[in-house]
């Protein structure tokens, strides 16, 4: 039994897992879960993730949910397949962990609602709430000022190596670049260079090509 990812290619959290699998060159089956049709709230999917959100993973007898837990599991288990995105040196491991936390607790709360307003809400026929958009753009700008300072000293978030910390920024930033707020990235020299670097990775390009939202 191989790896099975339950989700949708256009879902940012699913795309993160697919990006890692592509980087590692691992074979997997993508089991489509149609969120629009509410499949993620059906008992068969709730058995995989009781919180009813995609993605989920099956690897033999192991079942897992939460994209950040899934990418850590894949990185540990398939350490010898492709690059090691979690490192082994304790200081580097800690740096990757710190920037994964920064993504989860600073970057994501700022960019997630912005992408929701500008991309996902419109998919369902809604208009962006401009007050929310402005507040989230300001919040994201402040987070990106910290990133700019960090990335002026090193090439990637946790050091001079691409890691899971960088990888977790790919899907939401990809969508941000399709909104009128791409300048949040492009106006910051070091953030922009980092984005151009990580988003041009061949593995990511393959995953991004399937993230069609219109
Ligand atoms: C969030 C998953 C999530 O928001 C993770 O895996 O990192 N912390 C979790 N999934 C969204 C799709 S966005 O990729 C989802 O399932 N939304 C439907 C819902 O919440 O009902």
């Amino acid at each position: 039994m191989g790896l099975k990812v339950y989700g949708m290619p256009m879902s940012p959290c699913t795309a993160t897992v697919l990006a890692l699998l592509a980087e590692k060159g691992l074979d997997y089956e993508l089991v489509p879960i149609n969120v629009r049709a509410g499949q993620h709230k059906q008992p068969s999917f709730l058995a995989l993730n009781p919180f009813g959100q995609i993605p989920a993973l099956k690897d033999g007898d192991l079942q897992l949910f939460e994209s950040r837990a899934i990418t850590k599991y894949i990185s540990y288990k398939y350490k010898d397949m492709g690059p090691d995105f979690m490192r082994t040196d304790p200081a580097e491991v800690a740096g990757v962990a710190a920037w994964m936390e920064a993504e989860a607790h600073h970057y994501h709360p700022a960019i997630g609602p912005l992408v929701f307003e500008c991309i996902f809400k419109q998919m369902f026929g809604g208009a962006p709430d401009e007050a929310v958009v402005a507040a989230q753009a300001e919040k994201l700008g402040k987070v990106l000022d910290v990133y700019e300072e960090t990335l002026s000293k090193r090439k990637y978030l946790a050091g001079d190596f691409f890691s899971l910390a960088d990888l977790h920024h790919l899907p939401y930033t990809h969508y941000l670049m399709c909104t009128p707020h791409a300048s949040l990235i492009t106006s910051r020299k070091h953030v922009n260079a980092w984005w151009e670097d990580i988003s041009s990775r061949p593995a990511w390009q393959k995953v991004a090509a399937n993230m069609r939202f219109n």
Side-chain angles (χ1 to χ4, degrees):
M1 269 203 293
L3 288 161
K4 283 188 182 181
V5 180
Y6 296 75
M8 290 168 80
M10 66 161 293
S11 130
C13 302
T14 305
T16 310
V17 172
L18 301 185
L20 178 61
L21 291 167
E23 287 281 1
K24 290 278 194 187
L26 288 163
D27 288 331
Y28 62 90
E29 179 190 346
L30 178 63
V31 182
I33 300 295
N34 189 334
V35 170
R36 275 192 174 195
Q39 250 183 312
H40 59 313
K41 305 296 182 196
Q42 296 303 312
S44 57
F45 184 77
L46 292 174
L48 291 171
N49 180 359
F51 294 104
Q53 287 188 318
I54 55 172
L57 179 85
K58 259 195 194 180
D59 186 12
D61 290 337
L62 180 113
Q63 290 186 188
L64 203 54
F65 56 88
E66 287 294 337
S67 59
R68 297 174 189 86
I70 293 171
T71 57
K72 282 183 192 165
Y73 166 76
I74 293 168
S75 297
Y76 277 125
K77 171 138 189 215
Y78 300 98
K79 198 177 175 57
D80 299 330
M81 294 280 295
D84 174 10
F85 295 125
M86 286 195 66
R87 319 294 287 183
T88 45
D89 171 77
E92 290 182 349
V93 172
V96 174
W99 281 97
M100 285 182 77
E101 293 291 330
E103 184 276 327
H105 301 296
H106 297 287
Y107 196 75
H108 184 263
I111 199 171
L114 186 53
V115 165
F116 174 77
E117 291 295 328
C118 297
I119 304 241
F120 294 115
K121 211 167 162 183
Q122 304 213 41
M123 272 177 54
F124 294 95
D129 179 331
E130 292 306 336
V132 174
V133 169
Q136 290 302 133
E138 190 186 342
K139 192 170 167 179
L140 182 58
K142 287 183 180 154
V143 174
L144 285 170
D145 285 342
V146 177
Y147 280 49
E148 179 68 4
E149 174 66 18
T150 299
L151 292 166
S152 72
K153 297 186 196 119
R154 50 198 194 228
K155 195 168 176 202
Y156 298 101
L157 291 171
D160 285 324
F161 52 87
F162 177 82
S163 74
L164 273 197
D166 306 291
L167 181 133
H168 270 274
H169 288 76
L170 285 165
Y172 275 100
T173 313
H174 169 78
Y175 282 137
L176 177 74
M177 300 311 277
C178 305
T179 75
H181 305 281
S183 62
L184 282 162
I185 299 293
T186 56
S187 65
R188 290 173 172 84
K189 183 178 156 200
H190 298 100
V191 169
N192 191 50
W194 166 75
W195 171 248
E196 298 226 315
D197 179 302
I198 66 172
S199 63
S200 63
R201 295 177 72 84
W204 172 247
Q205 294 269 309
K206 279 188 216 148
V207 174
N210 292 322
M211 292 172 75
R212 284 182 294 271
F213 59 87
N214 51 16

